[in-house]
Amino acid sequence: MSESTPNPLSMETLVPLCKRRGFIFQSSEIYGGINGFYDYGPLGVELRKNIKDAWWRDMVQKREDIVGLDASIIMHPNVWKASGHIDQFTDPMVDCRESKLRYRADQLFFSPVAVDGESIGYVSVMEGAGMEEEAIEKAETLKRKLAKQGNLAPLELKDYTEAKEEERALIPSPATGKPGCLTAPRDFNMMFKTYVGALQDDSSVAYLRPETAQGIFANFKNIVDTGRVKVPFGIAQIGKAFRNEITPRNFIFRSREFEQLEIEYFIPPDDDLWPKYHREWIDTRLAWFESIGIPRSRLSEDVHPAEKLSHYSRATTDISFQFPFGVQELEGIAARGDYDLKQHQEFSGKSMEYFDESRRERYVPHVIEPSLGVDRTLLALLCSAYDEDEIDGEKRVVLRFHPRVAPYKAAVFPLLKNKPPLVEKAREIFHSLQRRWNIFYDASGAIGRRYRRQDEIGTPFGITVDFDTIEKDGTVTLRDRDTTKQERMSVEDVTAFLEEKIEG
RNA sequence: GCGGGCAUAGUUUAGCGGUAAAACCCCAGCCUUCCAAGCUGGUGUCCUCGGUUCGAUUCCGAGUGCCCGCACCA
């Protein structure tokens, strides 16, 4: 669509447009705003809903092997113990006051250095392949600096979370080598905490879910028992999730409240099977992005290197999008093995085994997880759709949304507002189309202005009632957003035309 | 969380120690037979709270928000 144009959109252009046209507002703006939360206005909510509907239609309703679910946001706290979020969503962080660098305390290692039994200080290194050699080198340097003679005692590397307070004063920063400038480890738990019931004590603590996936795993047994599903099959869910991000950034890209579109696709546990399913899902998802108007040229596959994989993951491939602020993840497609179901089996004491009739055996299925952010997709759509061109020497801003996701599918105009027969006919056409789609009606201002207004909110078609419509042949003009070309067609043909463009 | 920058109308900006301006947008009306035309009218707590001052939108402090860098990001 707009692939040929360079489209050098900056966030400084997009954010005001989103506000001006009612797509996205900062949350609680009248109170000064709240960091990391956003509200969707009249057009944003339509765009959002169209993304979710398209996904649900294509991933759930049009497939025989996927069923839907809508689990609650607050679940039993043990769900998060089993999933590992209570322990591992907490990353103890350490700041270096000198270099302003930040480290994860569990990735930072230190050791006392002793020469002939006399302690001469500490060394610190970052976790990594050569960290032991690096530590020895640093210890030698320290020994030379202090002009000590003798034998270096073997180093004992421990991670920084185990450092005692008196040790922290002596441990140098790995960057500057200066002792005592590292802070104590501080916890950043990313889960929002709340209390269930009237009593606000430790027994009533609950969490807002940081991902929708666990609601699916927690219902696996229910769906297997009642859903008439057979492996391989998937469970899909759309819902809000919450993460207390340290630094929300880049508009709605990383916010503290966001919505996920997730599928857990359960497959047999054979080691040679999952790569095939993983690949299939990557291809399915890429094709879907293209079907809603995100050009393939701005999408890429990023394979997570083995050493950066999460503890549960066998392989993760991100589908990334070229945002104005860089290439960033839209969707993660992870091969999660049987980690989650096994964890819930252990913590709940309930069997998560599935009986495979065709193989006459029981197993805990493995899973492929395509996990997408609605808000990120919406931002990617806005970035893909935004374009500027020139009509008769006038600059035009146009959002070239695919008709399927466009907030309004068409706008209906009487050519002139002060001629009642035109208005009457336009209202009639508007009401008739409105029964099926979200349609805009506008009578105010010059016709050119009305077209431009619709261009800027991405309405793909304009339908104008003029004197030929009421006096001659009953045809209207249908104006195309992308080309600005018009063609005449009968009112009856308009419906078929729109249907073809939107649903076809 | 750290460092730097910024905050005036819906948007983009100007301006001043004496209660604020332009353009565009938006709304209503007039006019208008297809691409932001014209005319008339309308819409504003200078982010918040403190301090200095006779007087603060302006100077100072704190808070909040936004942007950039670092770090973090299941």
Side-chain angles (χ1 to χ4, degrees):
Chain A
M1 232 181 270
S2 58
E3 278 148 286
S4 53
T5 44
N7 191 352
L9 171 68
S10 74
M11 295 307 283
E12 286 70 36
T13 307
L14 184 65
V15 174
L17 172 70
C18 285
K19 180 173 185 186
R20 183 156 42 90
R21 291 305 188 183
F23 283 95
I24 302 166
F25 307 121
Q26 165 139 57
S27 172
S28 317
E29 198 186 76
I30 59 169
Y31 291 101
I34 177 166
N35 189 279
F37 297 91
Y38 291 89
D39 297 342
Y40 289 87
L43 272 81
V45 70
E46 294 293 339
L47 186 55
R48 216 158 189 292
K49 185 175 183 307
N50 292 342
I51 293 167
K52 292 194 278 182
D53 286 352
W55 185 87
W56 193 259
R57 187 91 193 109
D58 293 341
M59 297 297 128
V60 182
Q61 295 177 338
K62 282 190 183 169
R63 294 180 65 125
E64 290 183 69
D65 59 343
I66 299 189
V67 294
L69 174 74
D70 191 344
S72 63
I73 287 174
I74 292 175
M75 291 181 266
H76 194 288
N78 286 352
V79 167
W80 307 112
K81 283 209 176 105
S83 70
H85 283 83
I86 286 182
D87 296 330
Q88 294 177 47
F89 226 57
T90 309
D91 294 328
M93 305 301 303
V94 178
D95 289 310
C96 170
R97 296 187 192 94
E98 191 77 7
S99 65
K100 306 301 176 197
L101 293 174
R102 164 171 292 175
Y103 304 96
R104 273 175 61 165
D106 58 347
Q107 293 177 354
L108 184 63
F109 288 79
F110 75 99
S111 172
V113 180
V115 174
D116 290 342
E118 180 202 354
S119 175
I120 63 166
Y122 287 82
V123 289
S124 66
V125 288
M126 295 290 295
E127 184 172 32
M131 66 187 227
E132 268 128 45
E133 292 73 28
E134 195 190 334
I136 292 169
E137 235 168 76
K138 283 187 171 174
E140 295 283 2
T141 309
L142 183 68
K143 183 181 144 192
R144 250 195 326 277
K145 250 189 203 162
L146 298 173
K148 294 281 177 191
Q149 302 293 324
N151 294 319
L152 209 56
L155 300 178
E156 291 169 45
L157 289 173
K158 287 193 282 189
D159 88 56
Y160 191 76
T161 52
E162 296 172 39
K164 297 183 190 75
E165 201 181 326
E166 59 271 22
E167 287 181 314
R168 285 201 297 268
L170 300 169
I171 296 171
S173 152
T176 65
K178 196 174 158 187
C181 62
L182 294 174
T183 62
R186 284 176 287 190
D187 283 350
F188 291 86
N189 193 303
M190 298 178 103
M191 281 198 292
F192 283 98
K193 213 183 225 182
T194 187
Y195 299 91
V196 173
L199 279 180
Q200 300 205 350
D201 59 24
D202 286 350
S203 69
S204 64
V205 166
Y207 301 93
L208 305 189
R209 65 182 175 199
E211 62 173 29
T212 57
Q214 296 306 325
I216 296 179
F217 293 122
N219 278 287
F220 173 76
K221 226 177 110 56
N222 281 336
I223 289 175
V224 167
D225 290 348
T226 62
R228 303 188 62 198
V229 287
K230 285 195 171 73
V231 169
F233 76 97
I235 303 175
Q237 175 166 223
I238 299 177
K240 287 276 180 98
F242 305 82
R243 287 182 200 167
N244 207 351
E245 297 285 353
I246 301 164
T247 312
R249 275 288 161 93
N250 293 327
F251 199 33
I252 56 171
F253 181 81
R254 177 176 297 127
S255 53
R256 290 184 165 129
E257 174 177 338
F258 56 101
E259 192 155 33
Q260 291 185 307
L261 303 163
E262 288 197 306
I263 298 166
E264 300 300 334
Y265 195 80
F266 298 98
I267 58 174
D270 314 55
D271 279 341
D272 53 346
L273 263 180
W274 67 264
K276 173 180 87 98
Y277 284 109
H278 190 231
R279 185 66 243 169
E280 271 176 23
W281 271 108
I282 297 166
D283 293 336
T284 300
R285 298 301 309 142
L286 281 168
W288 186 82
F289 284 122
E290 285 195 83
S291 80
I292 60 166
I294 297 178
R296 184 67 181 82
S297 58
R298 291 185 75 171
L299 294 169
S300 53
E301 286 177 39
D302 293 329
V303 178
H304 286 210
E307 66 270 19
K308 284 190 77 180
L309 287 177
S310 316
H311 56 283
Y312 53 73
S313 181
R314 302 181 146 196
T316 298
T317 298
D318 288 345
I319 295 178
S320 299
F321 177 79
Q322 195 189 323
F323 287 100
F325 44 83
V327 174
Q328 298 276 336
E329 176 189 348
L330 263 188
E331 174 158 5
I333 301 166
R336 283 170 81 124
D338 56 8
Y339 177 83
D340 298 276
L341 287 180
K342 285 262 175 77
Q343 285 291 107
H344 287 299
Q345 183 164 272
E346 188 190 325
F347 278 73
S348 69
K350 305 287 190 310
S351 169
M352 295 295 154
E353 282 186 327
Y354 166 84
F355 182 68
D356 190 323
E357 282 173 55
S358 63
R359 297 162 51 138
R360 313 289 306 162
E361 61 169 330
R362 285 184 184 284
Y363 54 75
V364 174
H366 286 214
V367 72
I368 307 289
E369 179 193 82
S371 169
L372 172 67
V374 177
D375 311 84
R376 291 179 177 192
T377 308
L378 189 140
L379 186 58
L381 278 175
L382 282 165
C383 294
S384 302
Y386 184 91
D387 199 11
E388 293 170 7
D389 62 6
E390 235 180 74
I391 305 297
D392 298 331
E394 294 267 12
K395 192 188 128 186
R396 176 176 79 140
V397 171
V398 54
L399 295 182
R400 303 186 190 276
F401 288 130
H402 189 290
R404 202 176 171 198
V405 295
Y408 290 107
K409 306 308 180 193
V412 179
F413 315 115
L415 183 59
L416 300 170
K417 188 186 182 179
N418 55 356
K419 298 286 185 288
L422 292 179
V423 172
E424 198 180 306
K425 184 67 186 169
R427 295 293 298 174
E428 181 192 318
I429 294 170
F430 168 61
H431 283 129
S432 141
L433 293 174
Q434 206 186 26
R435 291 201 306 227
R436 205 152 155 193
W437 296 294
N438 195 32
I439 306 288
F440 196 80
Y441 174 83
D442 191 1
S444 74
I447 190 72
R449 173 180 297 274
R450 283 179 269 163
Y451 286 146
R452 297 296 177 86
R453 264 200 290 247
Q454 295 305 313
D455 290 342
E456 209 180 17
I457 62 173
T459 306
F461 305 104
I463 296 158
T464 303
V465 172
D466 63 11
F467 289 97
D468 283 3
T469 316
I470 52 173
E471 287 165 3
K472 253 169 85 183
D473 51 14
T475 62
V476 294
T477 64
L478 193 138
R479 183 251 191 197
D480 183 278
R481 174 198 65 201
D482 294 331
T483 61
T484 76
K485 295 283 186 307
Q486 304 182 45
E487 57 177 306
R488 296 206 72 93
M489 63 175 72
S490 74
V491 176
E492 293 74 46
D493 289 347
V494 167
T495 305
F497 178 90
L498 291 180
E499 185 177 290
E500 154 72 19
K501 293 289 183 185
I502 298 162
E503 287 150 36

